[in-house]
Amino acid sequence: MTQHLASPVSLTAVDAPDQPTPTPELEELYRGFEKELLVPLWTEIGDLMPAHPRSRAVPHVWRWSNLLQLADQAGHLVPVGRGGERRAIALANPALDGKPFATPTLWAAIQYLMPGEDAPEHRHTQHAFRFVVEGEGVWTVVGRDPVPMNRGDFLPQAGWNWHAHHNAAEKPMAWIDGLDIPFQYTSESQFFEFGRDTISEQEKTTPERSRSQRLWGHPGLRPVSAPGATPGTPLLNHRWADTDAALSDQLELEAEGSPGVVEPGHAAVRYTNPTTGGDVLPTIRAEMHRVRRGAETAPRREAGSSVFQVFDGSGTVTVGEASWRVERGDLFVVPSWEPLSLRSEAGASDSDSGALDLFRFSDTPIFEALHLDRVAVEGSR
């Protein structure tokens, strides 16, 4: 006997502006729609075509001190071998039904590696990066190239590259991972493959600079031996010393009366792919921001979402109607079209630069590729 399942479509005639008048005939029509799995646009247009983005995600902040404590507990309880693959603990936006998604398109997680541990090799289509807010002594091994990870370093890695991690230090180390897992999950485009269970002793060496850095890490210069564009950056480590100098120079130029900052007291740089000059990854934009003590940024809205981590200093963050005081390591989410403003309260006691430094990553390249990007800044035309 064939079992008829209830239709997932449920329609109700309502007496409301711009809706047809409820009648028995309309109810009969709606039952026909339900049976054939049809949904009329006139009942859904407010949700499907709103006047502006209404994200399913909500603004939220995660405290680094709490994340680090829980990651350390996991380090003593949870193995890092096959099965779990990584001791990575994802941020779950409170409005996304418990899924390990920071926003509908972005994944962010704290990853924790104990002394002497290796995270096994694998690859996936998801584009990824690592950002180090504190610590040293771990090397990520990408395509058998050991790449050092130190405080302030940004390490992008395009999808489908073999990679593993090795902690050569005597202390645990934590960092944040960012990936486009939710985007690929929703678009049903992801692939994953296991690699070797162990990396070689040669890959456990600890060079000061990787082969990638030696080839590509020279500002304004590219090797003639590698012509053409690559979809993801071949430079696997952007060092903090270079980023710090670029931000400092912008604020110094502002003090001298020259252009260079985004707005008064607000310096920013974007990590780029040296083969194209564009974003480091096809689906992820990454930036570092520095806000001088006492400066406040103008409220800014963008189509698409962002995740921020405070690298140094302290300040007040306002996202939509939510406001928090943040300090080193704290992470927060900016959903699509929610206004963001930052106020720096940093000083010499809590910041090496004396300013509020923030790392940011977003899904902007996806929106730009689809011509869906839009920005609005309060006070500008």
Side-chain angles (χ1 to χ4, degrees):
M1 179 181 293
T2 302
Q3 184 177 3
H4 296 283
L5 301 177
S7 172
V9 176
S10 178
L11 302 171
T12 303
V14 295
D15 187 6
D18 302 319
Q19 293 295 310
T21 302
T23 63
E25 291 78 13
L26 183 64
E27 289 287 0
E28 182 180 358
L29 174 64
Y30 281 3
R31 300 297 80 76
F33 285 167
E34 292 172 354
K35 181 180 179 181
E36 297 299 328
L37 301 180
L38 301 171
V39 179
L41 178 60
W42 61 82
T43 65
E44 302 291 330
I45 191 167
D47 287 332
L48 296 178
M49 297 181 177
H52 56 77
R54 296 191 306 215
S55 179
R56 291 184 294 116
V58 294
H60 192 73
V61 64
W62 290 264
R63 302 298 181 184
W64 182 247
S65 58
N66 296 338
L67 298 183
L68 204 56
Q69 179 183 353
L70 291 167
D72 184 64
Q73 288 179 246
H76 291 86
L77 294 172
V78 181
V80 78
R82 291 297 187 209
E85 285 295 296
R86 300 289 187 262
R87 194 181 291 111
I89 306 160
L91 311 185
N93 191 287
L96 296 181
D97 303 322
K99 284 189 169 58
F101 300 164
T103 81
T105 54
L106 299 174
W107 160 289
I110 179 174
Q111 187 169 162
Y112 200 77
L113 205 61
M114 299 293 282
E117 279 189 330
D118 296 334
E121 186 181 63
H122 65 210
R123 65 178 177 175
H124 41 71
T125 50
Q126 292 87 354
H127 303 291
F129 70 81
R130 286 159 279 286
F131 178 73
V132 186
V133 73
E134 58 187 42
E136 59 183 11
V138 167
W139 271 254
T140 183
V141 183
V142 181
R144 307 200 179 196
D145 184 11
V147 186
M149 297 172 58
N150 298 296
R151 173 166 158 75
D153 289 356
F154 169 69
L155 300 101
Q157 177 204 297
W160 214 235
N161 281 288
W162 294 112
H163 58 285
H165 309 310
H166 169 61
N167 188 346
E170 296 180 356
K171 297 188 298 184
M173 183 170 163
W175 62 89
I176 66 163
D177 289 337
L179 296 93
D180 61 359
I181 291 175
F183 170 71
Q184 293 203 28
Y185 176 85
T186 302
S187 60
E188 301 177 346
S189 59
Q190 65 271 48
F191 290 86
F192 178 92
E193 187 174 343
F194 291 115
R196 297 167 297 161
D197 290 333
T198 60
I199 59 176
S200 67
E201 289 303 315
Q202 183 179 2
E203 292 166 89
K204 293 183 182 181
T205 57
T206 54
E208 183 180 348
R209 290 186 302 151
S210 66
R211 297 193 300 273
S212 159
Q213 290 170 283
R214 292 162 63 192
L215 191 61
W216 290 98
H218 306 284
L221 302 170
R222 64 173 297 169
V224 176
S225 62
T230 58
T233 178
L235 178 58
L236 300 177
N237 187 342
H238 296 255
R239 294 184 294 183
W240 171 243
D242 300 324
T243 308
D244 181 39
L247 294 168
S248 295
D249 281 347
Q250 286 188 19
L251 291 179
E252 288 174 8
L253 285 168
E254 180 192 29
E256 295 166 6
S258 298
V261 295
V262 176
E263 57 187 321
H266 179 190
V269 293
R270 181 173 301 159
Y271 300 99
T272 59
N273 178 346
T275 73
T276 65
D279 288 298
V280 285
L281 297 169
T283 55
I284 294 175
R285 173 165 294 172
E287 299 172 339
M288 182 66 73
H289 294 251
R290 175 168 291 170
V291 184
R292 178 174 30 83
R293 177 178 174 82
E296 186 167 357
T297 66
R300 177 185 178 92
R301 299 177 187 262
E302 294 190 21
S305 53
S306 299
V307 179
F308 283 78
Q309 183 172 37
V310 179
F311 177 68
D312 218 356
S314 58
T316 300
V317 174
T318 302
V319 184
E321 297 181 357
S323 187
W324 318 283
R325 191 177 191 281
V326 294
E327 56 189 24
R328 180 187 285 193
D330 291 347
L331 294 114
F332 60 91
V333 164
V334 182
S336 184
W337 212 243
E338 288 283 359
L340 164 71
S341 61
L342 310 164
R343 176 174 174 78
S344 174
E345 297 156 7
S349 62
D350 66 358
S351 172
D352 294 337
S353 67
L356 175 61
D357 291 345
L358 302 110
F359 171 77
R360 176 206 184 205
F361 71 101
S362 70
D363 52 17
T364 305
I366 300 172
F367 284 73
E368 288 185 346
L370 298 174
H371 301 285
L372 296 174
D373 55 306
R374 184 174 295 198
V375 176
V377 181
E378 187 174 297
S380 65
R381 294 183 177 181

